[in-house]
């Protein structure tokens, strides 16, 4: 952490994959980014040195338009994820960040400066240590990932290095709504299903991907991928499709409505040794995924037709529309899992 290296933010178009459209250099490594939904020219980023910043692509400068500082509440460890939120009640732009320092911080853009608010501090239960002069010191948990509920605005999940997943509220800074003993190693990614309001997915360095109902403490589905799982992502077009990447260089695509037990496709993406796949993301419109690796390469892959097949309507069934179909599909699967007799 003391030896900070330089970082870069690169923005590409699929029309020219060999060279980026925009190049922004930074003093510290960039660990994460998020585009604003309504203002796609605004990019929030998190740095390895604990700072966060906003880049404005409309401005002809390589420097961020806004950046945190030691005075304005920067993190003391690397920032692993940033996510834009809806504008606050005064219509100010704001985003959240999670870091290994155990703080979830809200950053609001007020009068051309970033104002921070600590939303929650991740404390590890039963780890209070005795400090000097009888001081009680609370060990902080290390946040690694988080995601906000698609419909319930105040609700969010936080994954930690200890393997726990915390269900939190923006309204309560001192306590959690729930704690899931999710994994045996670090939670590398956690994500709500884009269709079903109760379901989320998590992946970990303990080789597993787990699918959860947030009202139940045990996972609905557990998949062992035989290698540390760097990232997992739900597809935007189906409630039952997700993809994961593992550190042995493979990408795995699942569709629960076709096969509840195995991946439909497992493919080596990174051939060279001493390289790990670390991130995967679906394109929100086209059947394309991009996969990032440890060497700094981005691989763009098109999903074959069998990996994006839509379910056929049965004769005599009432035709449901988009989201209703997806919710019903996943609901049916969850009912089967909750009621093992119906599976038999």
């Amino acid at each position: 952490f003391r030896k900070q290296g330089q970082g870069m933010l690169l923005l590409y178009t699929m029309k020219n994959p060999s060279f980026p459209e925009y190049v922004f250099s930074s003093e510290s490594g960039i660990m994460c980014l998020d585009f604003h939904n309504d203002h796609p020219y605004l990019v929030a980023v998190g740095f390895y040195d604990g700072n966060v910043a906003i880049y404005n692509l409309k401005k002809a400068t390589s420097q961020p338009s806004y950046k945190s500082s030691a005075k304005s509440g920067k993190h003391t460890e690397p920032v692993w994820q940033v996510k834009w939120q809806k504008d606050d009640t005064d219509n100010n732009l704001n985003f959240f960040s999670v870091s290994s320092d155990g703080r979830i911080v809200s950053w609001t853009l007020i009068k051309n400066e970033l104002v921070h608010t600590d939303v929650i501090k991740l404390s590890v239960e039963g780890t209070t240590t005795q400090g000097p002069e009888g001081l009680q010191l609370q060990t902080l948990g290390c946040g690694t990932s988080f995601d906000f509920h698609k419909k319930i605005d105040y609700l969010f999940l936080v994954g930690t290095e200890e393997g726990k997943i915390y269900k939190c509220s923006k309204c309560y800074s001192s306590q959690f709504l729930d704690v899931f003993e999710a994994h045996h190693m670090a939670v590398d990614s956690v994500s709500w299903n884009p269709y079903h309001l109760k379901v989320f997915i998590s992946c970990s360095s303990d080789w597993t991907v787990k699918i959860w109902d947030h009202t139940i403490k045990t996972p609905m589905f557990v998949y062992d991928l035989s290698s540390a799982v760097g990232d997992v992502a739900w597809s935007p077009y189906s409630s039952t499709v997700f993809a994961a990447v593992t550190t042995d260089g493979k990408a795995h695509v699942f569709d629960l409505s076709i096969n509840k037990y195995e991946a439909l496709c497992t493919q080596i993406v990174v051939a060279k040794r001493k390289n790990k796949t670390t991130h995967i993301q679906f394109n929100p419109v086209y059947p394309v995924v991009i996969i990032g690796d440890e060497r700094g390469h981005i691989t763009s892959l098109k999903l074959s037709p069998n990996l994006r097949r839509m379910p056929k309507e049965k004769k005599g069934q009432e035709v449901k529309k988009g989201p209703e179909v997806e919710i019903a599909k996943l609901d049916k699967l969850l009912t089967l899992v909750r009621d093992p007799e119906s599976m038999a």
Side-chain angles (χ1 to χ4, degrees), residues 203 209 225 229 231-233 242-246 250-254 280:
C203 72
V209 169
L225 300 187
V229 188
D231 196 12
V232 68
F242 68 90
V245 285
T246 44
K250 291 177 183 172
H252 311 257
V253 181
F254 289 77
I280 186 163

Side-chain angles (χ1 to χ4, degrees), residues 169-182:
S169 168
K170 291 181 188 175
C171 309
Y172 304 112
S173 59
S174 58
Q175 64 190 76
F176 312 115
L177 301 179
D178 219 337
V179 182
F180 299 88
E181 301 289 340

Side-chain angles (χ1 to χ4, degrees), residues 209 225 227-233 242-254 262-271 276-282 289-292 299-303 307:
V209 169
L225 300 187
S227 189
V229 188
D231 196 12
V232 68
F242 68 90
V245 285
T246 44
T247 53
D248 56 359
K250 291 177 183 172
H252 311 257
V253 181
F254 289 77
E262 293 175 349
L264 296 186
C265 169
T266 295
Q267 185 171 317
I268 292 175
V269 179
V270 178
K276 298 173 182 175
T277 44
T278 53
H279 280 293
I280 186 163
Q281 192 69 52
F282 282 86
V289 290
I290 51 168
I291 294 170
T299 307
S300 178
L301 300 160
K302 189 174 181 180
L303 296 171
L307 297 180

